[in-house]
Amino acid sequence: MSESADDDRPRRVRVAFDPDILAADAVRTHGIALPGAPVREAESVFLNDLMRAQLRLACACLIGFVLVSLLLTSAIMVLASTVDPVMFGVPMSWLLQAYAYYPVILLFAIVFARNAARNERRFRVLTEVEGDGEGEAR
C-alpha cells in the first residue's frame, strides 16, 4: 500500500533561475513598463526629471506651509499675550485660530495643484516631441 501511495504523488521538479531571461527583459523594459515594451532613454530621463520636480515642489510647499503656520501661530500667541482685541464678543486670537488657517491651507493646495499640473504638462510636451521625432526617423 505504501508503494502505490508513492506512485500517485507527483514527482518533484527542480526549477532553476535563468539570468539570461531576466537580463533580456531588463533591457527592454523600465519601471512600470509592460514586459517587452521598448525603453526610450529620453523618456526615462524626462520621467526622472518629473519625479524630482514633483518632489521639489512638494518639499517647497511643505516647508512654506510649516513656516507660514508657525508665523500665524506666533502672531496668535503674541496677540493673546498682549492686548487681545474683542470682535463681536469673541477675542481676536480665538477668531484667528478658528478661521485664519483655512485660507492658508487652501492657498497652498491651489499652488501645489497648479504647479504639479504644470510639471506634468511639461513632461507630456517633452515626451510627445521626443516620440514624434523618433517616429519620423524610422
Side-chain angles (χ1 to χ4, degrees):
M1 182 163 196
S2 65
E3 289 180 21
S4 64
D6 289 338
D7 293 338
D8 293 339
R9 287 190 302 175
R11 299 241 181 239
R12 296 181 101 179
V13 177
R14 183 176 214 162
V15 179
F17 173 71
D18 188 8
D20 295 334
I21 293 173
L22 182 63
D25 285 343
V27 170
R28 292 190 331 236
T29 61
H30 182 267
I32 60 171
L34 295 174
V39 175
R40 287 182 274 167
E41 186 65 31
E43 188 172 330
S44 175
V45 170
F46 293 149
L47 183 62
N48 287 336
D49 189 43
L50 173 67
M51 289 190 296
R52 275 187 261 116
Q54 296 292 51
L55 181 62
R56 276 193 309 267
L57 175 64
C59 289
C61 283
L62 177 67
I63 290 169
F65 177 74
V66 167
L67 289 176
V68 170
S69 296
L70 288 174
L71 184 67
L72 186 59
T73 302
S74 62
I76 290 170
M77 288 174 57
V78 167
L79 188 64
S81 65
T82 61
V83 179
D84 197 7
V86 176
M87 197 167 153
F88 305 114
V90 180
M92 182 65 90
S93 60
W94 288 16
L95 290 174
L96 287 175
Q97 288 178 21
Y99 300 110
Y101 286 100
Y102 295 110
V104 171
I105 294 169
L106 184 63
L107 175 72
F108 277 96
I110 290 170
V111 166
F112 179 79
R114 289 183 61 162
N115 287 324
R118 185 190 68 204
N119 287 342
E120 290 173 7
R121 273 193 312 272
R122 287 180 179 171
F123 170 73
R124 267 188 254 115
V125 166
L126 288 172
T127 55
E128 287 172 4
V129 168
E130 180 66 29
D132 292 341
E134 283 183 7
E136 292 171 4
R138 289 182 187 175

